[in-house]
Amino acid sequence: MLLVSTGYDVVVADDGFAALLQLRKTEPDVIVSDLEMPRMSGFELLSVVRRRFPQILTLAMSGAYGDERVPVGVIADGFYAKGGPPENLFRAIEQVIHAAPARSSAHRHEVAPAWVPRNGNDSHGTPYVMVSCEECLRVFQLAVIEEETLQVLEVPCRFCPNKNRYIIEPSGHDAREACA
């Protein structure tokens, strides 16, 4: 409502999956995404958007971080710390828009890592994640021997010669500690 009241055209999605469906219908200039959403987090959504739609500007937002800088590991052009005055949100959007020419050319050459959620433990108690290959689109299970917090990891696909870059999505509590 705040953005509409200041003249922005706004389309709303309940979660990351709904946002991706909206992108099939219309391509916005800027995506403003909360990092904590049900079903598909903002971490995952922003990673997918950067890979599939590098021309779209992105602004992450969260109440879990107090700083106005983009938290470490978040793939976004800007950041808004929720809880501040609305003017901070408007300023963050304007900064992303004004920095667009320099950033959009850089995004075309950058391959964003995928954010993958933790999937639990296998039958032997070993933690694992599921990785989707960017090239062949096949999904494979990957044991998590040592969990690296907010680090880009690389693994070869089990089906094709492609190498896939990914980050294991931290839980809400772990994310705040890692970025503090």
Side-chain angles (χ1 to χ4, degrees):
M1 290 177 21
L2 284 171
L3 295 174
V4 170
S5 70
T6 59
Y8 287 101
D9 291 327
V10 176
V11 176
V12 178
D14 291 332
D15 59 38
F17 288 115
L20 290 175
L21 288 174
Q22 286 290 343
L23 287 172
R24 288 182 173 193
K25 299 174 190 171
T26 183
E27 192 173 294
D29 296 320
V30 179
I31 292 176
V32 179
S33 175
D34 198 329
L35 293 177
E36 299 295 326
M37 295 187 294
R39 298 185 340 132
M40 176 188 271
S41 73
F43 295 97
E44 292 174 275
L45 172 65
L46 293 169
S47 177
V48 170
V49 168
R50 182 58 48 87
R51 287 192 321 267
R52 291 182 53 201
F53 307 96
Q55 70 282 7
I56 298 176
L57 301 170
T58 56
L59 179 74
M61 66 179 185
S62 176
Y65 308 95
D67 198 352
E68 292 294 326
R69 293 176 300 186
V70 177
V72 174
V74 175
I75 301 167
D77 298 309
F79 182 75
Y80 166 66
K82 287 171 37 176
E87 293 78 25
N88 291 358
L89 174 60
F90 304 142
R91 187 176 329 111
I93 292 171
E94 288 302 317
Q95 287 172 347
V96 165
I97 291 169
H98 289 336
R103 289 183 178 172
S104 66
S105 64
H107 293 334
R108 292 191 205 303
H109 304 292
E110 152 188 22
V111 176
W115 279 78
V116 295
R118 293 184 180 105
N119 292 100
N121 298 330
D122 64 17
S123 60
H124 302 289
T126 304
Y128 71 94
V129 295
M130 300 299 289
V131 177
S132 297
C133 179
E134 296 171 10
E135 184 65 29
C136 71
L137 303 178
R138 290 186 173 169
V139 179
F140 56 94
Q141 183 173 315
L142 184 65
V144 180
I145 307 303
E146 274 187 48
E147 188 165 330
E148 302 289 334
T149 305
L150 297 175
Q151 289 193 358
V152 177
L153 304 170
E154 190 172 272
V155 63
C157 177
R158 300 229 171 109
F159 304 100
C160 75
N162 191 54
K163 290 192 181 195
N164 296 278
R165 298 174 63 225
Y166 68 99
I167 298 172
I168 298 173
E169 183 177 333
S171 63
H173 177 67
D174 294 343
R176 285 187 281 272
E177 287 179 1
C179 295

